Amino acid sequence: MIPYSRQNIEEEDITAVTAALRSDFLTTGPLVDKFEKAVADYVGSQYGVAVSSGTAALHCAMFALGIKPGDEVIVPPITFAATANSVCFLGGIPVFADVEPDTLLIDPSKIEEKISNKTKAIIGVDYAGLPCDWDRLRKIANDHKLALVADSCQALGAEYRGKKAGSIADMTAFSFHPVKHITTGEGGMITTNNQQLERKMRTFRNHGIDTDFRQREETNSWFYAMTDLGYNYRLTDIQSALGLSQLKRLPTFLEQRDRLAKRYDKAFEKNDAVIPLSTKIDCFHAYHLYVVRIDRKVIPRDRAFSELRKAGIGVNVHHIPVHLHPYYKTTFNYTRGLCPIAEQAFEEIISLPIWPGMKDKEIETVIQQINKVTEKQQL
Ligand SMILES: *Cc1c(COP(=O)(O)O)cnc(C)c1O
């Protein structure tokens, strides 16, 4: 089976992790700081706060904003559930604003009608690796005095009008899960230029305690204060060693994803039944996912999916519109019809394999099989 995504681990990654294992710190040591600075520098942001997952990153961001029970946060339906879940963790209400039909990114023209006096923030999701229309999102956020958060878990390395994902919103969440651009096994980070938010997130990831063990050792003090109810969301030094080593190859990873995407684009120009999602000229697409719509008049997506799986192509579907999950239906009474554009797209989308290290022969096989599955039905 050719998977839709997979990690890229080289000997240098293994060497880096081994060295961390031989060092004095397995967790909360110098490599965490180094990794935070390296990611923050890379994206062009002042601070990076490393955490144990992309989900933890989003939870930290919502906590730092002070989201409380009953507060509303606007989110898109086409995303991984964790985006909206992070609002629910604090008792908040995720309010879904529908997506643009061609990119499946949150539609700025659908946001204002969803704003109420309880709205506190907007989370834009750089779905598949393509940045949202951040200038328009910023204007809406400013006009209504809302915080602007980016879920760029799929978009490390993406660029919007010359700015990297991670330097645009008030806070940006990244994930280092093995299917994402770089991995630490599990891991995540929030980047921000706001020192107050950064401090709150640092405390929150460490039980709500205002200093960490190493800082206390350095100042020879046993005193610490737990000021908030936080979690253990720390990233380890072992994981940071892997992250630092992976980050060095990120430019190469992005180039390879871009090259594979262009190859797919070209192949599907000749196949009317396979329509890639739109890209944007003012953005660099990080291509975490390569998503196409399958023309349902030619073959229903579900049949294309099972035929491709049978042929050894590890296609996937990203994502089930979040408001249609049973939890959201029962907790918030959300129903079909809330976001019609997302719901219709969901019936047609399929994610094709794309990852750095994917061989020419593998992408050729995928293209051949897609053409075969969508052609057969046309006869
Ligand atoms: C992967 C992902 C997350 C969650 O990241 P984890 O590291 O798996 O917790 C959140 N949002 C989006 C859009 C993602 O793709």
Side-chain angles (χ1 to χ4, degrees):
M1 184 76 80
I2 301 173
Y4 89 85
S5 185
R6 65 161 288 141
Q7 70 275 18
N8 177 298
I9 299 290
E10 300 279 351
E11 211 47 53
E12 65 198 61
D13 297 319
I14 295 163
T15 307
V17 171
T18 310
L21 282 167
R22 294 185 206 283
S23 79
D24 289 337
F25 291 95
L26 295 187
T27 191
T28 318
L31 294 179
V32 177
D33 297 350
K34 211 171 154 193
F35 185 44
E36 287 178 337
K37 288 197 178 77
V39 173
D41 282 352
Y42 175 81
V43 303
S45 183
Q46 211 162 347
Y47 307 104
V49 180
V51 289
S52 53
S53 70
T55 305
L58 289 161
H59 191 183
C60 286
M62 290 301 107
F63 172 82
L65 292 179
I67 298 302
K68 286 186 294 298
D71 286 348
E72 295 177 4
V73 177
I74 292 170
V75 298
I78 298 286
T79 181
F80 183 54
T83 313
N85 293 353
S86 71
V87 180
C88 303
F89 293 158
L90 293 153
I93 301 166
V95 173
F96 293 94
D98 211 348
V99 293
E100 301 170 334
D102 54 341
T103 61
L104 306 188
L105 296 170
I106 195 164
D107 185 342
S109 73
K110 302 275 175 64
I111 292 178
E112 278 180 310
E113 65 201 60
K114 300 282 182 169
I115 294 174
S116 78
N117 56 7
K118 293 192 176 140
T119 311
K120 294 285 151 56
I122 301 167
I123 308 181
V125 177
D126 295 333
Y127 167 64
L130 184 65
C132 301
D133 192 343
W134 287 106
D135 284 350
R136 282 183 71 193
L137 296 183
R138 173 55 77 192
K139 169 130 193 2
I140 297 166
N142 287 356
D143 287 351
H144 298 270
K145 298 193 167 53
L146 305 176
L148 186 59
V149 175
D151 179 343
S152 299
C153 287
Q154 304 188 355
L156 181 62
E159 282 174 36
Y160 171 82
R161 298 185 177 166
K163 282 191 215 149
K164 277 213 168 68
S167 66
I168 303 164
D170 299 324
M171 285 178 282
T172 302
F174 292 105
S175 164
F176 308 126
H177 182 276
V179 298
K180 302 291 166 68
H181 293 86
I182 63 167
T183 190
T184 58
E186 296 280 0
M189 198 173 297
I190 316 96
T191 58
T192 183
N193 287 328
N194 183 317
Q195 193 181 37
Q196 223 177 331
L197 295 173
E198 179 241 5
R199 293 227 169 111
K200 281 191 185 149
M201 293 190 286
R202 254 181 223 299
T203 302
F204 190 67
R205 76 159 178 203
N206 189 37
H207 308 280
I209 292 169
D210 64 359
T211 55
D212 68 23
F213 172 77
R214 205 159 47 99
Q215 285 170 313
R216 288 196 297 281
E217 287 284 291
E218 278 164 8
T219 54
N220 272 320
S221 161
W222 51 263
F223 180 80
Y224 65 86
M226 194 198 107
T227 51
D228 287 301
L229 184 61
Y231 289 74
N232 178 352
Y233 275 163
R234 296 186 301 261
L235 192 73
T236 65
D237 259 41
I238 306 167
Q239 291 170 303
S240 300
L242 181 54
L244 279 162
S245 170
Q246 290 259 306
L247 189 61
K248 288 187 195 148
R249 298 205 301 289
L250 178 59
T252 324
F253 292 165
L254 289 164
E255 261 168 49
Q256 290 189 56
R257 287 179 180 276
D258 188 54
R259 197 156 42 76
L260 292 163
K262 293 208 163 103
R263 183 109 172 246
Y264 277 137
D265 286 344
K266 195 144 192 297
F268 301 137
E269 269 172 19
K270 290 169 262 161
N271 186 341
D272 291 342
V274 179
I275 310 124
L277 293 186
S278 296
T279 56
K280 304 197 247 181
I281 45 162
D282 54 359
C283 292
F284 176 75
H285 196 317
Y287 281 111
H288 162 60
L289 301 172
Y290 188 88
V291 179
V292 298
R293 285 177 189 259
I294 303 286
D295 184 345
R296 58 167 96 198
K297 294 190 292 299
V298 175
I299 180 171
R301 189 274 316 278
D302 287 345
R303 206 154 84 227
F305 181 93
S306 54
E307 288 194 20
L308 288 164
R309 279 285 178 99
K310 255 185 261 158
I313 313 298
V315 285
N316 223 317
V317 174
H318 301 97
H319 300 275
I320 299 166
V322 178
H323 64 285
L324 298 181
H325 282 297
Y327 173 82
Y328 282 93
K329 284 183 163 173
T330 55
T331 309
F332 301 103
N333 287 321
Y334 290 145
T335 53
R336 201 168 282 277
L338 183 67
C339 297
I341 307 284
E343 290 161 22
Q344 196 198 319
F346 166 58
E347 307 287 330
E348 302 171 347
I349 49 175
I350 199 160
S351 308
L352 308 185
I354 188 165
W355 77 91
M358 191 176 172
K359 305 259 188 323
D360 283 352
K361 233 187 99 195
E362 290 172 317
I363 189 164
E364 278 314 314
T365 307
V366 177
I367 291 167
Q368 260 171 28
Q369 290 299 330
I370 302 266
N371 286 338
K372 196 170 139 199
V373 163
T374 50
E375 229 167 50
K376 198 164 55 184
Q377 312 295 324
Q378 284 169 317
L379 297 176

